[in-house]
Amino acid sequence: MIMILQTIDWPDVVVGALVAALVGGIGFCVKLLIKYHLARQSILPYGKGTWYSAEYDSKGNVPKERRVTYLKVSMKPSLFGRVKVQCIEQLNPEEKPDKTGWIVEGRIQNGVLIGEWRTTVKDTIRFGSAMLRFLDNGRAVGYWIGVRGFDPPLYGYWIMSKDYDNLKSIISGAVPPGAFEMIDVAKRVADFERGSRGSRV
């Protein structure tokens, strides 16, 4: 065994290993740059940077008419080739005292952001999926679905605009929170299982 080790040209082995590691590292970095570039290109037609977001928000004991949360968000590419939408600031905390914050990461395909979201609020367990269709007027519309802890899934609308005043006008005129109907699917299924008439789906 010692004789075999003595016959190995250690300087060449070390240099070869370093070259292989360097080539592998460069290849990995190039791959990341390509993914980042593709993600950035997918965002550009719709508007990279600051957006304003409104979502149907059922958190807290608030009247149905106040179940909307406004957020300032940023949309940008990530190093791993994904599109990231991240909350910067909650804009109506006086109406929605329960803090809201999240990150959505996904991809844009045929003008639709398809992604997964997770809360950024400390000591909370909230996560889910989201889909958002970009329109040609600096707006985007879609839905989120998610779970809170071990509760059944919830869902709601998700609307974004490049202009905050425009977003508030849309919410008050087109989709006021008081008019949005959300069906408790878990309750209906439970009622169905119990044989409760009138709740069957």
Side-chain angles (χ1 to χ4, degrees):
M1 183 69 173
I2 295 174
M3 294 290 293
I4 294 173
L5 292 175
Q6 288 176 343
T7 62
I8 295 174
D9 189 351
W10 288 107
D12 284 350
V13 170
V14 171
V15 169
L18 289 174
V19 169
L22 183 62
V23 169
I26 291 171
F28 179 73
C29 291
V30 168
K31 190 175 180 181
L32 283 183
L33 286 173
I34 291 171
K35 285 184 174 182
Y36 176 84
H37 175 73
L38 292 174
R40 186 173 181 274
Q41 290 300 110
S42 73
I43 293 173
L44 289 179
Y46 313 108
K48 178 175 167 280
T50 300
W51 284 73
Y52 297 93
S53 170
E55 64 190 68
Y56 182 80
D57 188 352
S58 58
K59 292 194 307 295
N61 185 21
V62 295
K64 193 174 181 182
E65 293 73 25
R66 287 170 51 193
R67 292 182 183 173
V68 59
T69 294
Y70 293 100
L71 301 158
K72 184 178 182 181
V73 302
S74 70
M75 184 166 67
K76 58 188 177 182
S78 77
L79 271 180
F80 294 97
R82 309 216 351 131
V83 173
K84 182 187 287 187
V85 182
Q86 183 169 3
C87 294
I88 300 172
E89 176 186 3
Q90 188 170 336
L91 300 174
N92 63 332
E94 66 288 343
E95 296 174 4
K96 294 292 297 181
D98 284 13
K99 190 174 179 183
T100 298
W102 43 255
I103 295 174
V104 176
E105 288 191 87
R107 71 185 193 279
I108 295 176
Q109 182 175 324
N110 297 327
V112 179
L113 172 65
I114 304 165
E116 297 175 339
W117 67 269
R118 67 184 185 279
T119 183
T120 56
V121 178
K122 191 177 179 183
D123 299 323
T124 62
I125 302 173
R126 296 189 183 103
F127 58 93
S129 302
M131 181 176 285
L132 194 71
R133 161 72 72 182
F134 291 97
L135 307 178
D136 58 3
N137 52 7
R139 298 172 181 168
V141 297
Y143 292 93
W144 61 265
I145 183 168
V147 293
R148 177 175 53 204
F150 296 98
D151 293 343
L154 298 170
Y155 65 92
Y157 61 74
W158 180 24
I159 301 172
M160 294 208 314
S161 175
K162 295 292 285 180
D163 182 85
Y164 184 41
D165 291 331
N166 174 254
L167 180 64
K168 289 195 292 185
S169 297
I170 291 169
I171 296 300
S172 63
V175 282
F180 183 76
E181 294 294 333
M182 187 170 66
I183 299 169
D184 188 339
V185 179
K187 182 179 184 305
R188 291 200 176 196
V189 171
D191 288 347
F192 175 80
E193 290 297 316
R194 286 191 296 264
S196 174
R197 294 194 310 169
S199 299
R200 295 177 182 246
V201 292

